[in-house]
Every structure is written in structure tokens, then in C-alpha cells.
Amino acid sequence: MDDKSINDRTDSAKMFDKKVCVLVDMDGVLCDFDAGFLQRFRQMHPDLPFIPLDERNSVYVEEQYMEMFGASVDARSIVEEKDFFLNLPKIEGALKGMLSLAGRDDVNLFICTSPLRKFENCVLEKYRWVSNNLGKKFTEKIILTRDKSVVNGHFLIDDKPDISQQGSQVARWKHLLFTTHHNRHVIPENGQIKLSGWNDPVLHTVIDEKVKEINSYDAVS
């Protein structure tokens, strides 16, 4: 590699460091996991009672159905079946919100999502969902990991209230708790900031504040 290439890469890295890195979860933030599950459950079990979306109260939908039906209904098999992730509906405002973030010169945007342990359908369908609903260019920004604490960033937009305590190390990002069906009752704690949805102006406000903070570091140095 010649000196010019090295210098170009160095300049590019410096510009990258000056941007705010925003990580965005998929299920419950971009795609409506709960709504997709409910639709499929009612198709498969039209005669059984179900949990309305406004009565969802736990992160993992299968756990709540387990409490209702015990082992008589295998709710987990629904999320593992072919085309489940592919057919999930979009969260309201998700496309506009992602395009708004991607259009900012001061933001590096990534999709950070956890695949199922039984990943045979899930992984490919997540890529296809992003391509179909957000655009193919966003597939180049996908990070797949079971442990989000190992991913560096300034902010993680995620619907799991305890996501920052689930990893193998102390997370370096600030958790923006995205409001969805199961966490409407949750009060932010441990420095979390709760977003009411993609139209919440708090999202761009906290990014603007981080941009000013980064620029202030540059001015001092």
C-alpha cells in the first residue's frame, strides 16, 4: 500500500470518528414482531384465546403465551418457521426515520440485530426484510450478534428494557429505549432515554447534543 492510500484511509478514519454512531435494533423497532406473531398465531389457532397487543407485558412473546397455555401450544415454533421474519410488518415511521438518520452527514448508521439460536430461516430473512422494506443499500449496514455489548457505538435504539445488562461486557453505547407493545409500562432507568416512536424529536436532539460534544473534544485537542 502506498503513502497516499495510507493517508486516504487515515483521513477517512478521522472523519468516521467525528460522526455519531447509531445502532438500530430490528424486532420491535423497525419491524413489528408482536403484530406479526399475533397474526400468525390467530391463523394457526383460530379457536384459541390470544393476547391482544395492548396486553403484552414481557419482552419474549413466547414466555407470555407459555404462561397462558403451558406446553400445550408451542409458541416458539411460530417465530422459527419459514417466512416469519420475512413477513413482519414495518413499525410506523421506520422507513422515514431510518432515511432521516442515514441522510445526516454527522451520523454513521447501522442495524444491530440478534438472530435466533435456531438461525436457519431467521438470518437470511432479516437481510431480505431489510432489502424489501428499507432498500438494498441498508443490507450493507447490518450487524448480526447475540451480544450487543461488544459492538461500539454512541447510541443503541432497542426495545429491550434490560439490553445493557445482557452482554458479556459493559456496553459503550447509551440505550435509547424504543416504545413498543410490551414495554409501554416501563420507566427508563440507568441512564436510559425512552423514545415514544420514530417521530419522537428526542432522537435527533440527543444526536445533536452528541455531535456538539464530539466537536468540543476536537476544539480542545
Side-chain angles (χ1 to χ4, degrees):
M1 184 180 295
D2 57 30
D3 290 343
K4 183 179 183 305
S5 297
I6 293 173
N7 290 334
D8 287 345
R9 285 177 175 244
T10 301
D11 291 342
S12 178
K14 288 179 179 178
M15 290 299 296
F16 189 91
D17 289 341
K18 292 182 180 180
K19 294 186 177 185
V20 176
C21 182
V22 179
L23 311 169
V24 182
D25 180 33
M26 280 189 70
D27 304 324
V29 177
L30 295 176
C31 45
D32 198 332
F33 184 95
D34 284 349
F37 178 92
L38 180 59
Q39 180 183 32
R40 186 66 183 128
F41 180 87
R42 296 188 70 181
Q43 289 172 347
M44 294 177 64
H45 308 287
D47 299 325
L48 291 180
F50 59 88
I51 301 170
L53 294 177
D54 60 3
E55 293 182 15
R56 285 278 292 109
N57 58 24
S58 65
V59 173
Y60 300 106
V61 63
E62 61 269 23
E63 292 180 357
Q64 199 171 347
Y65 274 83
M66 187 75 170
E67 292 177 4
M68 175 181 285
F69 296 107
S72 63
V73 173
D74 185 6
R76 185 68 178 178
S77 66
I78 293 177
V79 305
E80 294 174 345
E81 71 179 8
K82 189 177 185 300
D83 291 341
F84 174 77
F85 283 93
L86 181 62
N87 293 326
L88 291 177
K90 284 197 300 289
I91 292 284
E92 182 179 358
L95 175 57
K96 183 178 179 180
M98 288 292 283
L99 291 176
S100 176
L101 290 175
R104 293 187 58 146
D105 293 333
D106 50 11
V107 167
N108 277 317
L109 181 63
F110 295 91
I111 296 169
C112 187
T113 182
S114 298
L116 299 178
R117 286 189 172 87
K118 189 174 180 180
F119 57 83
E120 287 80 1
N121 295 321
C122 170
V123 170
L124 177 58
E125 289 178 18
K126 280 180 176 286
Y127 271 87
R128 290 177 62 192
W129 189 96
V130 169
S131 181
N132 292 345
N133 291 277
L134 301 179
K136 190 172 182 180
K137 65 178 182 180
F138 279 105
T139 62
E140 299 176 6
K141 309 291 282 185
I142 295 175
I143 300 170
L144 286 170
T145 178
R146 295 281 302 175
D147 184 353
K148 296 182 182 181
S149 73
V150 303
V151 183
N152 289 336
H154 293 102
F155 298 105
L156 171 67
I157 304 174
D158 200 293
D159 64 304
K160 294 183 178 65
D162 61 348
I163 187 67
S164 61
Q165 281 81 51
Q166 291 184 343
S168 61
Q169 57 186 270
V170 177
R172 299 179 65 181
W173 33 256
K174 189 176 188 66
H175 182 197
L176 304 183
L177 178 59
F178 192 90
T179 301
T180 189
H181 310 289
H182 67 80
N183 68 14
R184 296 182 188 278
H185 63 289
V186 174
I187 298 173
E189 56 184 17
N190 300 321
Q192 292 172 333
I193 296 175
K194 196 166 189 180
L195 301 178
S196 61
W198 278 105
N199 294 324
D200 193 331
V202 170
L203 173 57
H204 284 275
T205 298
V206 296
I207 292 174
D208 291 340
E209 291 172 352
K210 180 57 69 173
V211 170
K212 291 179 181 178
E213 182 182 324
I214 293 171
N215 289 337
S216 69
Y217 291 154
D218 289 340
V220 172
S221 61

